[in-house]
Amino acid sequence: MIQATNLTKSFGDILAISGIDLKIEDGQVFGLIGTNGAGKSTFLRMAAGILRPDRGTISIDKRPVFENPEVKKEFFYISDDVAFFANTTPVDMAVFFGKIYESFDMGRFNDLMDKFGLEKKRKINTFSKGMKKQLSVILGLCAKTRYLYCDETFDGLDPVMRQAVKSLFAGDMENRDFTPIIASHNLRELEDICDTVGLLHKGGIILSKNIEDARADVHKVQCVFRDDESRNRTFEELKVIASENRGKLYVLTIRGSEDDIERTLRAESPIFMEMLPLSLEEIFISETGVEGYDIKKIIC
Amino acid sequence: MTSKRLFADLCAENRKRRLWPIALCIAGNFFGQLVYAYLAVMRYEQRLAEGRTVIEDVRLACFEMAGGLSWQIGILVVGLAIINAVQGYGYLFDSKMCDLYGALPVKREKLFGAVCLNGIGIFAVPYIIFNVLVTIYCLAKGYLLVSFLPQLLGLMVTIISTYTLIFLTSTLACVMTGHIVVAFMAIFVFIVGGPATVYIIEVYKQAFFLTYYWNQEPTYTSYTSPITMYMTLFSDVNRKNYMLFNKALFIKTLIIIALCIILYLICRALIKIRPLEAAGRSMAFEKTKPYIKCAITVVVSLYAGMFFKSIGEKFGMLIFGIICGLVLSHAVIETIYEFDFKACLSHFGSLIASVVIAGLIVIIFVFDPLGYETWIPRADRVKTYAIEQNYVYNGLQYSDDSGNSVMSENYVFENMRLTNMEKIEPLLIAGVEFAKKYHYSFIFHDEVYENAITENEGMLYGYFDIMWEMNDGRKIYRSFRVDLNDPANKTCVKALFDDPDFKEGIFQIMNISEDSFETIKYYDIKGSHEVKIAKEDRTKLLQAVRSDIEKQTFEELSEADPTMLIGLANSSSYYGLELCNFYLYPSFTESRKVLEEIDIPTDWLGDINNINTLGIQCYDYDNNTYERWDTTDKDEIKAVLDNSTSNWLNTNSIWRRGDKDSVYADLFINGNASDYLLINDISAMPKELQEIIEKTKAYE
């Protein structure tokens, strides 16, 4: 488990991370969402032991990360602006990482390079941005570390590659102890891959929630009430987080279990009732609305 | 993976990133050592065949090449050390590379050590290989002996240690900064800052302290910069006894190695705490900024102050210059720190601190609260002392063991060993009183000081420089000015002159060997002449001169004129640069006898009857012309020569030059240019000559 306790980091007068408390459990895909300047990269760089926290701690299995090689062997960090040594080829980088990470799988590296169609002996500085990202993901996966930090890695990948990487992640999670932590500003991109999502804003964590739990806890219903009394009773009995209506057609976002909501609504015998799927964005809007954040300004 | 295996892998991977520096080191050493040695030996062999050099010179040259004591090795050492450090630690300036390295499961100091080891190795390995090849080549040619090998091995260690010192200094600059340009600036500051600070302090001492003695730079200067340490290594090698164990060089090498260890530990400690987010910024450690800025601005302001003072020659210009220097350097450094010109006047607090520090330094020099000008050591703390002066004897020439000309103070301070401080005490007190009296006049260019030393009013100012060798080994220098007409001072000078140790120190002829010279050079009215004399004559002459000098009294020195200037030289001495010389006085009877026996004249004037025509040429400064007067009249010739002194003999003693009006003129004998003459008594000259002197105002 990765745990951050009161994690704080400033760069001069700029407070990048402010007192974050966060737990990332093993065996799940953790998404770190936030706009530009929210502190995603700073958090990941502290988690990778690159930056020393000003206050607080960040640890893996209660062992501090900073300047701790034994702990650092547990993760591989892919930065948003990927760095490779000058005039090197993918094979050179693989050999380098192979010497640093004992568990590096060269065979898998060759295999994945072939599958992704990347030339192993071509100079990396001739690769496109997307190809460099692919290479960094391949190297990260072949290192076979417990954790893989991906800082806006998916942003540079085309949809096909994105899917391929997602299935690789899924495969690795099934076969070994593997926890990817993915930072992105695109909530929709992470929707179908992340198990847990943490929302960063202005250096602080607004929300950290398991998506399934979030989905199970909030539902969207489209209905037409018989009359106003029926509608008012429904609003009193259920925890309606958000409500929109076009004439008599109401779209309600309600917190509670699906069974309870359905039972309560059917008791009012509505003219029309339909459960609608909730997107991750809608879940976050509803969740953060409770906290008073105008989340629409934050997520895209 | 074991720690050692990881370290070895890091080193191997790092070497892959350093292909071009490795190639540069190999190429540099190949051309700088092997090719240069081949070409140099070829050139020396040609000169040997043509008789233009001797075998000893070739051996010395080969020793210097094999020992790395050449300018091109110097350039290689300094240049490659800086390049390898900046290239190796260049990742600290790139945030992407910092992220890459920072996330690796490798301790920072381990990575630092791998880069450091490679940085030293990629120079050391090719240097050693090519150095061995050069040594083998010179051995095969017969210009090096096997017995030199231990010395050469020691020099190899010295050169590599010096490279390491410069490399680690550059590494420190890289660790403390976050941008490659700022890193190069920091390297410049580390290399130049120390000597520059020492130099400007010495300049201020010279400008503010009358008793400051300039010629000897502080011995600690060589330790203020790795480059100065390297440069002094060359002077530590004794080119006459290069085959012998060199203790000074050995000690300095040990000091360099110790400094390397200290620097390495400092850099290693700093790299552990260096924030990687500093990549791209000017400085890595924010807290060091004000201190570094203060140090640089204060030194720069002192230079600016002295620059303006040298133009304006006023104390006010010094203050103006210091303020300008402080403000400008503060602005420049702040701009560099923030990479933003708008920040040039931020952090006013550190500017104020710099002003205070610079102000305190100026106050120390102006008011001398530390008592520099008035300091005289306690007699019980002085081991020996030496005096270099312009009033007893002047115009003597000196040489070192290799026969090279040296300045009089260098010889005197090296060889004179006086111990009785009581003899010099009155002069020191007089010198201190003079300094105290005119200290402020000197600083503020008051006319009082200028008038005191130029208008005289019956005073006869002479200066003397003194070196005290203290019991703890330190050598302290001062320069004093005293009135030599003061009876107490004159008594003191007499007592010094009568001290055999004084004469031993001032006359090199007291210690020279008859084997070190072959010829006598003398200067008479017809010009300079050179005579080779046999060894037994040389021995007799030395004995005679030494005896005459020992017997010479101070009264004769201050009353009599020397009659001849005689120099001792060998065949390779350049004209006018003898090994040493001496003045022949009327009382030097033993010397005169020996010289006459070997047909060397003892009188500059010689037989006046041999002079058929005499010409005097005076220079008119106003009209930029010469006025010449010639005569064949024997009485006129005699009148001129009886009341004149050869310039060769004039520079002897301050007492002889007294307060008479003197005129310098060119002398022509029988139509040939002869000498530069000092006409002592204008009124005794023929009328026509007096008119010319008056017309050209040559007496002014």
Side-chain angles (χ1 to χ4, degrees), chain A residues 9 45 50-51 66-67 69 72 81 83 85 96 99-100 102, chain B residues 1 13 17 96-97 99 101-102 104-105 107-109 277:
Chain A
K9 181 69 183 174
R45 290 165 85 201
I50 297 168
L51 303 179
F66 188 75
E67 278 293 282
K72 283 183 163 185
D81 196 1
F85 297 126
F96 173 75
K99 290 180 179 173
I100 303 293
E102 289 174 13
Chain B
M1 180 188 291
E13 284 300 314
R17 315 277 93 82
K96 285 170 31 176
M97 294 311 295
D99 284 356
Y101 280 113
L104 294 177
K107 278 216 177 253
R108 290 186 187 189
E109 51 265 37
E277 60 263 33

PDB file of all heavy atoms in Angstrom, chain A residues 9 45 50-51 66-67 69 72 81 83 85 96 99-100 102, chain B residues 1 13 17 96-97 99 101-102 104-105 107-109 277:
ATOM      1  N   LYS A   9       4.280  20.074  -0.242  1.00  0.00           N
ATOM      2  CA  LYS A   9       5.464  20.445  -1.040  1.00  0.00           C
ATOM      3  C   LYS A   9       5.249  21.820  -1.635  1.00  0.00           C
ATOM      4  O   LYS A   9       4.199  22.093  -2.220  1.00  0.00           O
ATOM      5  CB  LYS A   9       5.702  19.428  -2.163  1.00  0.00           C
ATOM      6  CG  LYS A   9       6.915  19.708  -3.020  1.00  0.00           C
ATOM      7  CD  LYS A   9       8.204  19.500  -2.265  1.00  0.00           C
ATOM      8  CE  LYS A   9       9.414  19.848  -3.105  1.00  0.00           C
ATOM      9  NZ  LYS A   9      10.657  19.779  -2.324  1.00  0.00           N
ATOM     10  N   ARG A  45       5.942  12.524  -8.370  1.00  0.00           N
ATOM     11  CA  ARG A  45       7.390  12.637  -8.212  1.00  0.00           C
ATOM     12  C   ARG A  45       7.809  12.440  -6.766  1.00  0.00           C
ATOM     13  O   ARG A  45       8.898  11.940  -6.474  1.00  0.00           O
ATOM     14  CB  ARG A  45       7.871  13.989  -8.743  1.00  0.00           C
ATOM     15  CG  ARG A  45       7.781  14.079 -10.277  1.00  0.00           C
ATOM     16  CD  ARG A  45       7.914  15.502 -10.743  1.00  0.00           C
ATOM     17  NE  ARG A  45       9.305  15.872 -10.875  1.00  0.00           N
ATOM     18  CZ  ARG A  45       9.760  17.119 -10.875  1.00  0.00           C
ATOM     19  NH1 ARG A  45       8.922  18.122 -10.714  1.00  0.00           N
ATOM     20  NH2 ARG A  45      11.034  17.370 -11.028  1.00  0.00           N
ATOM     21  N   ILE A  50      11.644  11.280  -6.131  1.00  0.00           N
ATOM     22  CA  ILE A  50      12.454  12.298  -6.817  1.00  0.00           C
ATOM     23  C   ILE A  50      12.508  13.567  -5.976  1.00  0.00           C
ATOM     24  O   ILE A  50      13.563  14.178  -5.805  1.00  0.00           O
ATOM     25  CB  ILE A  50      11.853  12.617  -8.203  1.00  0.00           C
ATOM     26  CG1 ILE A  50      11.886  11.361  -9.078  1.00  0.00           C
ATOM     27  CG2 ILE A  50      12.601  13.754  -8.882  1.00  0.00           C
ATOM     28  CD1 ILE A  50      11.070  11.483 -10.338  1.00  0.00           C
ATOM     29  N   LEU A  51      11.345  13.955  -5.454  1.00  0.00           N
ATOM     30  CA  LEU A  51      11.262  15.161  -4.640  1.00  0.00           C
ATOM     31  C   LEU A  51      11.137  14.781  -3.180  1.00  0.00           C
ATOM     32  O   LEU A  51      10.452  13.810  -2.836  1.00  0.00           O
ATOM     33  CB  LEU A  51      10.046  16.004  -5.041  1.00  0.00           C
ATOM     34  CG  LEU A  51       9.964  16.432  -6.504  1.00  0.00           C
ATOM     35  CD1 LEU A  51       8.683  17.237  -6.729  1.00  0.00           C
ATOM     36  CD2 LEU A  51      11.177  17.241  -6.889  1.00  0.00           C
ATOM     37  N   PHE A  66      11.725   8.224  -0.030  1.00  0.00           N
ATOM     38  CA  PHE A  66      12.830   9.099  -0.435  1.00  0.00           C
ATOM     39  C   PHE A  66      14.177   8.509  -0.065  1.00  0.00           C
ATOM     40  O   PHE A  66      14.408   8.108   1.082  1.00  0.00           O
ATOM     41  CB  PHE A  66      12.659  10.488   0.204  1.00  0.00           C
ATOM     42  CG  PHE A  66      13.645  11.502  -0.315  1.00  0.00           C
ATOM     43  CD1 PHE A  66      13.481  12.054  -1.563  1.00  0.00           C
ATOM     44  CD2 PHE A  66      14.730  11.887   0.451  1.00  0.00           C
ATOM     45  CE1 PHE A  66      14.386  12.983  -2.058  1.00  0.00           C
ATOM     46  CE2 PHE A  66      15.634  12.811  -0.018  1.00  0.00           C
ATOM     47  CZ  PHE A  66      15.470  13.360  -1.282  1.00  0.00           C
ATOM     48  N   GLU A  67      15.082   8.442  -1.060  1.00  0.00           N
ATOM     49  CA  GLU A  67      16.438   7.923  -0.890  1.00  0.00           C
ATOM     50  C   GLU A  67      16.441   6.543  -0.232  1.00  0.00           C
ATOM     51  O   GLU A  67      17.296   6.250   0.615  1.00  0.00           O
ATOM     52  CB  GLU A  67      17.289   8.887  -0.062  1.00  0.00           C
ATOM     53  CG  GLU A  67      17.874  10.035  -0.885  1.00  0.00           C
ATOM     54  CD  GLU A  67      18.912   9.582  -1.914  1.00  0.00           C
ATOM     55  OE1 GLU A  67      20.053   9.311  -1.523  1.00  0.00           O
ATOM     56  OE2 GLU A  67      18.550   9.480  -3.101  1.00  0.00           O
ATOM     57  N   PRO A  69      16.550   2.919  -1.734  1.00  0.00           N
ATOM     58  CA  PRO A  69      16.607   2.070  -2.930  1.00  0.00           C
ATOM     59  C   PRO A  69      15.776   0.792  -2.798  1.00  0.00           C
ATOM     60  O   PRO A  69      15.200   0.332  -3.785  1.00  0.00           O
ATOM     61  CB  PRO A  69      18.088   1.747  -3.089  1.00  0.00           C
ATOM     62  CG  PRO A  69      18.801   2.839  -2.361  1.00  0.00           C
ATOM     63  CD  PRO A  69      17.902   3.238  -1.253  1.00  0.00           C
ATOM     64  N   LYS A  72      12.382   1.794  -3.605  1.00  0.00           N
ATOM     65  CA  LYS A  72      12.283   2.271  -4.996  1.00  0.00           C
ATOM     66  C   LYS A  72      12.290   1.123  -5.990  1.00  0.00           C
ATOM     67  O   LYS A  72      11.849   1.271  -7.129  1.00  0.00           O
ATOM     68  CB  LYS A  72      13.431   3.216  -5.301  1.00  0.00           C
ATOM     69  CG  LYS A  72      13.245   4.604  -4.721  1.00  0.00           C
ATOM     70  CD  LYS A  72      14.400   5.489  -5.148  1.00  0.00           C
ATOM     71  CE  LYS A  72      14.062   6.925  -4.946  1.00  0.00           C
ATOM     72  NZ  LYS A  72      15.135   7.812  -5.461  1.00  0.00           N
ATOM     73  N   ASP A  81       7.013  13.907 -19.498  1.00  0.00           N
ATOM     74  CA  ASP A  81       7.956  14.226 -20.574  1.00  0.00           C
ATOM     75  C   ASP A  81       9.091  13.211 -20.474  1.00  0.00           C
ATOM     76  O   ASP A  81      10.075  13.413 -19.756  1.00  0.00           O
ATOM     77  CB  ASP A  81       8.467  15.657 -20.383  1.00  0.00           C
ATOM     78  CG  ASP A  81       9.135  16.174 -21.639  1.00  0.00           C
ATOM     79  OD1 ASP A  81       9.182  15.420 -22.641  1.00  0.00           O
ATOM     80  OD2 ASP A  81       9.609  17.323 -21.627  1.00  0.00           O
ATOM     81  N   ALA A  83      12.136  10.831 -20.481  1.00  0.00           N
ATOM     82  CA  ALA A  83      13.557  11.076 -20.723  1.00  0.00           C
ATOM     83  C   ALA A  83      14.262   9.775 -21.053  1.00  0.00           C
ATOM     84  O   ALA A  83      14.059   8.758 -20.385  1.00  0.00           O
ATOM     85  CB  ALA A  83      14.182  11.691 -19.478  1.00  0.00           C
ATOM     86  N   PHE A  85      18.339   8.481 -22.483  1.00  0.00           N
ATOM     87  CA  PHE A  85      19.711   8.945 -22.698  1.00  0.00           C
ATOM     88  C   PHE A  85      19.889   9.325 -24.157  1.00  0.00           C
ATOM     89  O   PHE A  85      19.251   8.769 -25.044  1.00  0.00           O
ATOM     90  CB  PHE A  85      20.732   7.866 -22.327  1.00  0.00           C
ATOM     91  CG  PHE A  85      20.713   7.490 -20.878  1.00  0.00           C
ATOM     92  CD1 PHE A  85      20.560   6.165 -20.493  1.00  0.00           C
ATOM     93  CD2 PHE A  85      20.827   8.450 -19.888  1.00  0.00           C
ATOM     94  CE1 PHE A  85      20.532   5.811 -19.166  1.00  0.00           C
ATOM     95  CE2 PHE A  85      20.802   8.103 -18.555  1.00  0.00           C
ATOM     96  CZ  PHE A  85      20.649   6.786 -18.189  1.00  0.00           C
ATOM     97  N   PHE A  96      20.018  -0.943 -19.826  1.00  0.00           N
ATOM     98  CA  PHE A  96      20.256  -0.093 -18.644  1.00  0.00           C
ATOM     99  C   PHE A  96      19.299  -0.441 -17.524  1.00  0.00           C
ATOM    100  O   PHE A  96      19.715  -0.704 -16.383  1.00  0.00           O
ATOM    101  CB  PHE A  96      20.108   1.377 -19.043  1.00  0.00           C
ATOM    102  CG  PHE A  96      20.162   2.323 -17.882  1.00  0.00           C
ATOM    103  CD1 PHE A  96      21.355   2.624 -17.262  1.00  0.00           C
ATOM    104  CD2 PHE A  96      19.001   2.912 -17.388  1.00  0.00           C
ATOM    105  CE1 PHE A  96      21.402   3.493 -16.182  1.00  0.00           C
ATOM    106  CE2 PHE A  96      19.038   3.782 -16.306  1.00  0.00           C
ATOM    107  CZ  PHE A  96      20.241   4.067 -15.694  1.00  0.00           C
ATOM    108  N   LYS A  99      19.878  -3.653 -15.743  1.00  0.00           N
ATOM    109  CA  LYS A  99      20.923  -3.681 -14.709  1.00  0.00           C
ATOM    110  C   LYS A  99      20.441  -3.041 -13.408  1.00  0.00           C
ATOM    111  O   LYS A  99      20.970  -3.323 -12.336  1.00  0.00           O
ATOM    112  CB  LYS A  99      22.160  -2.934 -15.210  1.00  0.00           C
ATOM    113  CG  LYS A  99      22.879  -3.682 -16.321  1.00  0.00           C
ATOM    114  CD  LYS A  99      24.097  -2.935 -16.812  1.00  0.00           C
ATOM    115  CE  LYS A  99      24.780  -3.748 -17.897  1.00  0.00           C
ATOM    116  NZ  LYS A  99      25.882  -3.043 -18.541  1.00  0.00           N
ATOM    117  N   ILE A 100      19.465  -2.185 -13.521  1.00  0.00           N
ATOM    118  CA  ILE A 100      18.984  -1.494 -12.318  1.00  0.00           C
ATOM    119  C   ILE A 100      17.887  -2.308 -11.630  1.00  0.00           C
ATOM    120  O   ILE A 100      17.873  -2.434 -10.401  1.00  0.00           O
ATOM    121  CB  ILE A 100      18.440  -0.095 -12.680  1.00  0.00           C
ATOM    122  CG1 ILE A 100      19.509   0.731 -13.398  1.00  0.00           C
ATOM    123  CG2 ILE A 100      17.932   0.625 -11.453  1.00  0.00           C
ATOM    124  CD1 ILE A 100      20.701   1.107 -12.559  1.00  0.00           C
ATOM    125  N   GLU A 102      16.308  -5.794 -11.022  1.00  0.00           N
ATOM    126  CA  GLU A 102      16.686  -7.214 -11.126  1.00  0.00           C
ATOM    127  C   GLU A 102      15.638  -8.033 -11.853  1.00  0.00           C
ATOM    128  O   GLU A 102      15.943  -9.022 -12.516  1.00  0.00           O
ATOM    129  CB  GLU A 102      16.890  -7.785  -9.712  1.00  0.00           C
ATOM    130  CG  GLU A 102      18.133  -7.260  -9.049  1.00  0.00           C
ATOM    131  CD  GLU A 102      18.231  -7.722  -7.594  1.00  0.00           C
ATOM    132  OE1 GLU A 102      17.479  -8.617  -7.189  1.00  0.00           O
ATOM    133  OE2 GLU A 102      19.088  -7.185  -6.875  1.00  0.00           O
TER     134      GLU A 102
ATOM    135  N   MET B   1      20.988  -8.352  -6.657  1.00  0.00           N
ATOM    136  CA  MET B   1      22.231  -7.738  -7.171  1.00  0.00           C
ATOM    137  C   MET B   1      22.981  -7.101  -6.005  1.00  0.00           C
ATOM    138  O   MET B   1      22.397  -6.424  -5.195  1.00  0.00           O
ATOM    139  CB  MET B   1      21.861  -6.659  -8.196  1.00  0.00           C
ATOM    140  CG  MET B   1      23.089  -5.972  -8.790  1.00  0.00           C
ATOM    141  SD  MET B   1      22.670  -4.548  -9.820  1.00  0.00           S
ATOM    142  CE  MET B   1      21.898  -5.349 -11.206  1.00  0.00           C
ATOM    143  N   GLU B  13      27.557   1.694 -17.431  1.00  0.00           N
ATOM    144  CA  GLU B  13      26.513   2.426 -18.160  1.00  0.00           C
ATOM    145  C   GLU B  13      26.895   3.885 -18.334  1.00  0.00           C
ATOM    146  O   GLU B  13      26.627   4.478 -19.378  1.00  0.00           O
ATOM    147  CB  GLU B  13      25.178   2.313 -17.407  1.00  0.00           C
ATOM    148  CG  GLU B  13      24.500   0.963 -17.565  1.00  0.00           C
ATOM    149  CD  GLU B  13      24.167   0.627 -19.006  1.00  0.00           C
ATOM    150  OE1 GLU B  13      23.631   1.496 -19.722  1.00  0.00           O
ATOM    151  OE2 GLU B  13      24.470  -0.502 -19.406  1.00  0.00           O
ATOM    152  N   ARG B  17      27.738   6.683 -21.764  1.00  0.00           N
ATOM    153  CA  ARG B  17      27.214   8.041 -21.991  1.00  0.00           C
ATOM    154  C   ARG B  17      28.347   9.035 -22.207  1.00  0.00           C
ATOM    155  O   ARG B  17      28.123  10.219 -22.344  1.00  0.00           O
ATOM    156  CB  ARG B  17      26.391   8.514 -20.782  1.00  0.00           C
ATOM    157  CG  ARG B  17      25.404   7.514 -20.208  1.00  0.00           C
ATOM    158  CD  ARG B  17      24.089   7.487 -20.952  1.00  0.00           C
ATOM    159  NE  ARG B  17      24.042   6.485 -22.003  1.00  0.00           N
ATOM    160  CZ  ARG B  17      23.768   5.202 -21.805  1.00  0.00           C
ATOM    161  NH1 ARG B  17      23.507   4.743 -20.590  1.00  0.00           N
ATOM    162  NH2 ARG B  17      23.732   4.360 -22.803  1.00  0.00           N
ATOM    163  N   LYS B  96      14.338  16.602 -16.835  1.00  0.00           N
ATOM    164  CA  LYS B  96      13.919  15.266 -17.308  1.00  0.00           C
ATOM    165  C   LYS B  96      14.913  14.203 -16.857  1.00  0.00           C
ATOM    166  O   LYS B  96      14.528  13.120 -16.385  1.00  0.00           O
ATOM    167  CB  LYS B  96      13.822  15.271 -18.830  1.00  0.00           C
ATOM    168  CG  LYS B  96      12.587  15.997 -19.328  1.00  0.00           C
ATOM    169  CD  LYS B  96      12.513  16.275 -20.810  1.00  0.00           C
ATOM    170  CE  LYS B  96      13.168  15.332 -21.745  1.00  0.00           C
ATOM    171  NZ  LYS B  96      12.944  15.667 -23.163  1.00  0.00           N
ATOM    172  N   MET B  97      16.200  14.500 -16.993  1.00  0.00           N
ATOM    173  CA  MET B  97      17.219  13.530 -16.571  1.00  0.00           C
ATOM    174  C   MET B  97      17.223  13.388 -15.058  1.00  0.00           C
ATOM    175  O   MET B  97      17.482  12.307 -14.534  1.00  0.00           O
ATOM    176  CB  MET B  97      18.597  13.974 -17.076  1.00  0.00           C
ATOM    177  CG  MET B  97      18.741  13.951 -18.594  1.00  0.00           C
ATOM    178  SD  MET B  97      18.188  12.413 -19.351  1.00  0.00           S
ATOM    179  CE  MET B  97      19.346  11.251 -18.679  1.00  0.00           C
ATOM    180  N   ASP B  99      14.615  13.542 -13.196  1.00  0.00           N
ATOM    181  CA  ASP B  99      13.494  12.631 -12.912  1.00  0.00           C
ATOM    182  C   ASP B  99      13.888  11.191 -13.185  1.00  0.00           C
ATOM    183  O   ASP B  99      13.560  10.274 -12.423  1.00  0.00           O
ATOM    184  CB  ASP B  99      12.287  13.007 -13.774  1.00  0.00           C
ATOM    185  CG  ASP B  99      11.576  14.236 -13.248  1.00  0.00           C
ATOM    186  OD1 ASP B  99      11.980  14.733 -12.175  1.00  0.00           O
ATOM    187  OD2 ASP B  99      10.626  14.705 -13.901  1.00  0.00           O
ATOM    188  N   TYR B 101      16.933   9.799 -13.233  1.00  0.00           N
ATOM    189  CA  TYR B 101      17.873   9.282 -12.241  1.00  0.00           C
ATOM    190  C   TYR B 101      17.266   9.252 -10.837  1.00  0.00           C
ATOM    191  O   TYR B 101      17.534   8.358 -10.047  1.00  0.00           O
ATOM    192  CB  TYR B 101      19.141  10.153 -12.216  1.00  0.00           C
ATOM    193  CG  TYR B 101      20.116   9.849 -13.325  1.00  0.00           C
ATOM    194  CD1 TYR B 101      20.363  10.784 -14.318  1.00  0.00           C
ATOM    195  CD2 TYR B 101      20.795   8.634 -13.377  1.00  0.00           C
ATOM    196  CE1 TYR B 101      21.269  10.517 -15.338  1.00  0.00           C
ATOM    197  CE2 TYR B 101      21.697   8.359 -14.387  1.00  0.00           C
ATOM    198  CZ  TYR B 101      21.925   9.302 -15.373  1.00  0.00           C
ATOM    199  OH  TYR B 101      22.819   9.030 -16.377  1.00  0.00           O
ATOM    200  N   GLY B 102      16.439  10.260 -10.555  1.00  0.00           N
ATOM    201  CA  GLY B 102      15.875  10.359  -9.207  1.00  0.00           C
ATOM    202  C   GLY B 102      14.944   9.227  -8.860  1.00  0.00           C
ATOM    203  O   GLY B 102      14.805   8.869  -7.694  1.00  0.00           O
ATOM    204  N   LEU B 104      15.245   6.144  -9.948  1.00  0.00           N
ATOM    205  CA  LEU B 104      15.919   4.845  -9.959  1.00  0.00           C
ATOM    206  C   LEU B 104      16.175   4.356  -8.537  1.00  0.00           C
ATOM    207  O   LEU B 104      16.421   5.169  -7.646  1.00  0.00           O
ATOM    208  CB  LEU B 104      17.250   4.944 -10.701  1.00  0.00           C
ATOM    209  CG  LEU B 104      17.207   5.248 -12.201  1.00  0.00           C
ATOM    210  CD1 LEU B 104      18.621   5.385 -12.727  1.00  0.00           C
ATOM    211  CD2 LEU B 104      16.447   4.171 -12.959  1.00  0.00           C
ATOM    212  N   PRO B 105      16.153   3.037  -8.348  1.00  0.00           N
ATOM    213  CA  PRO B 105      16.461   2.512  -7.010  1.00  0.00           C
ATOM    214  C   PRO B 105      17.970   2.503  -6.758  1.00  0.00           C
ATOM    215  O   PRO B 105      18.590   1.453  -6.561  1.00  0.00           O
ATOM    216  CB  PRO B 105      15.898   1.084  -7.073  1.00  0.00           C
ATOM    217  CG  PRO B 105      15.951   0.715  -8.509  1.00  0.00           C
ATOM    218  CD  PRO B 105      15.734   1.979  -9.281  1.00  0.00           C
ATOM    219  N   LYS B 107      21.021   4.904  -4.732  1.00  0.00           N
ATOM    220  CA  LYS B 107      21.304   6.054  -3.860  1.00  0.00           C
ATOM    221  C   LYS B 107      22.059   7.114  -4.659  1.00  0.00           C
ATOM    222  O   LYS B 107      22.896   6.801  -5.509  1.00  0.00           O
ATOM    223  CB  LYS B 107      22.151   5.597  -2.669  1.00  0.00           C
ATOM    224  CG  LYS B 107      21.327   4.990  -1.564  1.00  0.00           C
ATOM    225  CD  LYS B 107      21.929   5.364  -0.213  1.00  0.00           C
ATOM    226  CE  LYS B 107      21.070   4.828   0.907  1.00  0.00           C
ATOM    227  NZ  LYS B 107      20.329   5.851   1.571  1.00  0.00           N
ATOM    228  N   ARG B 108      21.771   8.361  -4.347  1.00  0.00           N
ATOM    229  CA  ARG B 108      22.385   9.466  -5.082  1.00  0.00           C
ATOM    230  C   ARG B 108      23.901   9.431  -4.975  1.00  0.00           C
ATOM    231  O   ARG B 108      24.618   9.692  -5.947  1.00  0.00           O
ATOM    232  CB  ARG B 108      21.901  10.791  -4.519  1.00  0.00           C
ATOM    233  CG  ARG B 108      20.457  11.105  -4.809  1.00  0.00           C
ATOM    234  CD  ARG B 108      20.179  12.498  -4.326  1.00  0.00           C
ATOM    235  NE  ARG B 108      18.781  12.831  -4.419  1.00  0.00           N
ATOM    236  CZ  ARG B 108      18.300  14.049  -4.219  1.00  0.00           C
ATOM    237  NH1 ARG B 108      19.123  15.022  -3.903  1.00  0.00           N
ATOM    238  NH2 ARG B 108      17.006  14.286  -4.310  1.00  0.00           N
ATOM    239  N   GLU B 109      24.388   9.104  -3.790  1.00  0.00           N
ATOM    240  CA  GLU B 109      25.845   9.156  -3.637  1.00  0.00           C
ATOM    241  C   GLU B 109      26.522   8.035  -4.413  1.00  0.00           C
ATOM    242  O   GLU B 109      27.673   8.157  -4.821  1.00  0.00           O
ATOM    243  CB  GLU B 109      26.264   9.133  -2.163  1.00  0.00           C
ATOM    244  CG  GLU B 109      25.674   8.049  -1.327  1.00  0.00           C
ATOM    245  CD  GLU B 109      24.436   8.508  -0.586  1.00  0.00           C
ATOM    246  OE1 GLU B 109      23.646   9.291  -1.148  1.00  0.00           O
ATOM    247  OE2 GLU B 109      24.265   8.075   0.552  1.00  0.00           O
ATOM    248  N   GLU B 277      14.609  19.411  -7.963  1.00  0.00           N
ATOM    249  CA  GLU B 277      13.805  20.412  -8.663  1.00  0.00           C
ATOM    250  C   GLU B 277      14.624  21.663  -8.984  1.00  0.00           C
ATOM    251  O   GLU B 277      14.129  22.581  -9.623  1.00  0.00           O
ATOM    252  CB  GLU B 277      12.572  20.799  -7.832  1.00  0.00           C
ATOM    253  CG  GLU B 277      12.859  21.394  -6.474  1.00  0.00           C
ATOM    254  CD  GLU B 277      12.790  20.356  -5.360  1.00  0.00           C
ATOM    255  OE1 GLU B 277      13.143  19.178  -5.624  1.00  0.00           O
ATOM    256  OE2 GLU B 277      12.412  20.722  -4.239  1.00  0.00           O
TER     257      GLU B 277
END
